[in-house]
Amino acid sequence: MLCSTVHVNASSPYDVLIAGGLLGKIGSLIKSALDPLPRQVGIVCDENVGALFFDKVSSALNSNGIEAFRVDVPCGEYAKRLSVVERIYDALASHSVSRSDALIALGGGSAGDAAGFAAATYLRGIRLVQAPTTLLAQIDSSIGGKTAVDCDFGKNLVGAFHQPSLVVSDTDALSSLDARNIRSGLGEAVKYGCIADPALFDSLSDVKDINKLVSECAAIKARYVEADERDMGVRRELNFGHTIGHAVEAASGFELLHGEAVAIGMAAAARLGEKLGITERGTSERIERLLINTGLDPSVKYRSEAKSYIAHDKKYSNGYVDMVFLERIGSAVIKRVSVGTIITEVL
């Protein structure tokens, strides 16, 4: 299978490689991309991902002269805690990892965030290879260098920017996912269509080529990162659906998957945008219809519990939130809206 490459021209440039079978070649890929070659790498993964892929990855590394050790983290959002990052630090220190070595984030977005934050801060920064195995991580969270962990007040409140040295997206790994996790990833793909690509939006009702989908989404993400690496301007459009989505995700106790919560947030933001005269009429109906067709439920859940989380959004300031709205499918805009308006009109 041909390998697609999306180049990310960030402050530290790197490639996103997309094809089936790449995890079995990750040693040679790292050997080509990282100079100097790491003497050893820590592989951060949860027990489920580790059982599926650790032996393949470690064997591919060993055959290219790279020693590997495993660092286990909890499954899902529970990986994104400072106590887990401390566990990663301890593993790195016990193996005498140096700044010429590296971490591999093997798994979904949560493992990627925890490993990324550890890589950003251990020894003031070591190299990171993202090896995402979920659709959501392949199209979104593995690219762009945003790393973060959660605290009791909300998601992603403690973090750092730390670009990976390489992203290896093995689309064969997606066959290990259940239908719910595939749908969750499609929620983020819908976001890309909403903010940047009407043709992608229209194609998502019937996805036939997963490699093409991952490549298209990765290319959109790369453009945003290149234009605004530090997330101070246009890159904030990637937060479409996330202000309300993060609130209901946290309010659910993370029973909702991230893409499921973003789906709720996108539909709610489109409805609110229409009420405020920002969004073209009929947009919310189109988004809801596509989400339902992909198996995602756009109805708002955990309304009362979510209210307290809105004020702890990273974009909150003095009673207002900078929230992403659509003018129309393919065109996003950021508007300041009061928390009271969100609570009254949505929650």
Side-chain angles (χ1 to χ4, degrees):
M1 182 182 294
L2 291 176
C3 179
S4 297
T5 301
V6 173
H7 184 69
V8 184
N9 191 26
S11 55
S12 298
Y14 56 96
D15 288 333
V16 181
L17 307 178
I18 303 155
L22 293 184
L23 288 180
K25 304 172 183 176
I26 195 169
S28 60
L29 297 174
I30 287 175
K31 195 171 186 178
S32 297
L34 273 65
D35 184 21
L37 183 69
R39 176 181 60 87
Q40 61 177 339
V41 299
I43 301 175
V44 176
C45 57
D46 66 41
E47 60 181 359
N48 296 327
V49 172
L52 290 168
F53 302 117
F54 176 80
D55 288 345
K56 177 184 288 188
V57 171
S58 60
S59 176
L61 293 166
N62 293 339
S63 65
N64 283 273
I66 306 169
E67 297 179 9
F69 61 92
R70 178 169 162 176
V71 186
D72 286 313
V73 297
C75 295
E77 197 72 20
Y78 299 103
K80 294 176 57 172
R81 305 297 293 190
L82 285 171
S83 59
V84 174
V85 174
E86 185 175 13
R87 187 189 312 171
I88 299 173
Y89 294 152
D90 289 343
L92 296 174
S94 68
H95 285 83
S96 301
V97 165
S98 72
R99 294 188 71 184
S100 63
D101 295 320
L103 264 184
I104 294 178
L106 179 64
S110 295
D113 271 354
F117 184 65
T121 49
Y122 187 74
L123 299 180
R124 298 189 178 91
I126 63 173
R127 291 178 294 178
L128 172 71
V129 174
Q130 290 277 5
T133 62
T134 67
L135 180 58
L136 193 149
Q138 289 187 4
I139 68 175
D140 190 71
S141 61
S142 65
I143 305 163
K146 286 175 72 173
T147 75
V149 293
D150 307 335
C151 68
D152 291 342
F153 289 98
K155 278 176 60 72
N156 300 335
L157 296 181
V158 182
F161 288 94
H162 188 64
Q163 297 293 343
S165 299
L166 179 68
V167 180
V168 179
S169 292
D170 185 342
T171 50
D172 285 349
L174 302 180
S175 64
S176 68
L177 302 178
D178 60 19
R180 186 184 178 198
N181 275 279
I182 292 290
R183 290 194 297 268
S184 177
L186 287 174
E188 285 283 357
V190 170
K191 177 196 76 177
Y192 284 122
C194 284
I195 65 173
D197 192 336
L200 173 62
F201 182 92
D202 292 337
S203 74
L204 289 171
S205 58
D206 185 20
V207 176
K208 291 185 170 66
D209 186 341
I210 198 68
N211 288 281
K212 182 173 181 288
L213 174 64
V214 174
S215 296
E216 288 176 342
C217 292
I220 294 171
K221 181 69 175 281
R223 292 198 298 270
Y224 274 102
V225 173
E226 290 167 354
D228 178 24
E229 184 173 343
R230 303 292 291 189
D231 202 27
M232 299 297 289
V234 69
R235 184 174 175 177
R236 294 184 297 164
E237 292 179 4
L238 292 166
N239 289 318
F240 178 59
H242 285 61
T243 296
I244 295 166
H246 276 168
V248 297
E249 184 181 7
S252 77
F254 302 105
E255 289 297 318
L256 286 172
L257 298 178
H258 181 67
E260 294 172 331
V262 168
I264 293 169
M266 288 189 293
R271 290 192 298 269
L272 179 58
E274 291 182 17
K275 288 181 181 179
L276 297 176
I278 300 168
T279 304
E280 183 178 82
R281 293 287 180 185
T283 301
S284 62
E285 183 180 350
R286 289 183 64 192
I287 293 172
E288 289 178 26
R289 184 165 59 246
L290 177 57
L291 291 171
I292 291 169
N293 286 343
T294 58
L296 291 162
D297 182 359
S299 60
V300 179
K301 302 172 182 62
Y302 304 100
R303 291 175 185 270
S304 60
E305 299 94 330
K307 292 177 183 178
S308 64
Y309 288 98
I310 291 291
H312 294 290
D313 188 278
K314 297 189 300 299
K315 301 167 291 299
Y316 173 85
S317 176
N318 196 30
Y320 289 82
V321 173
D322 288 336
M323 185 168 167
V324 185
F325 293 95
L326 299 183
E327 294 177 317
R328 66 193 67 85
I329 298 298
S331 177
V333 64
I334 299 168
K335 298 287 187 180
R336 182 154 292 187
V337 60
S338 72
V339 168
T341 297
I342 296 173
I343 290 175
T344 301
E345 299 293 341
V346 178
L347 302 175

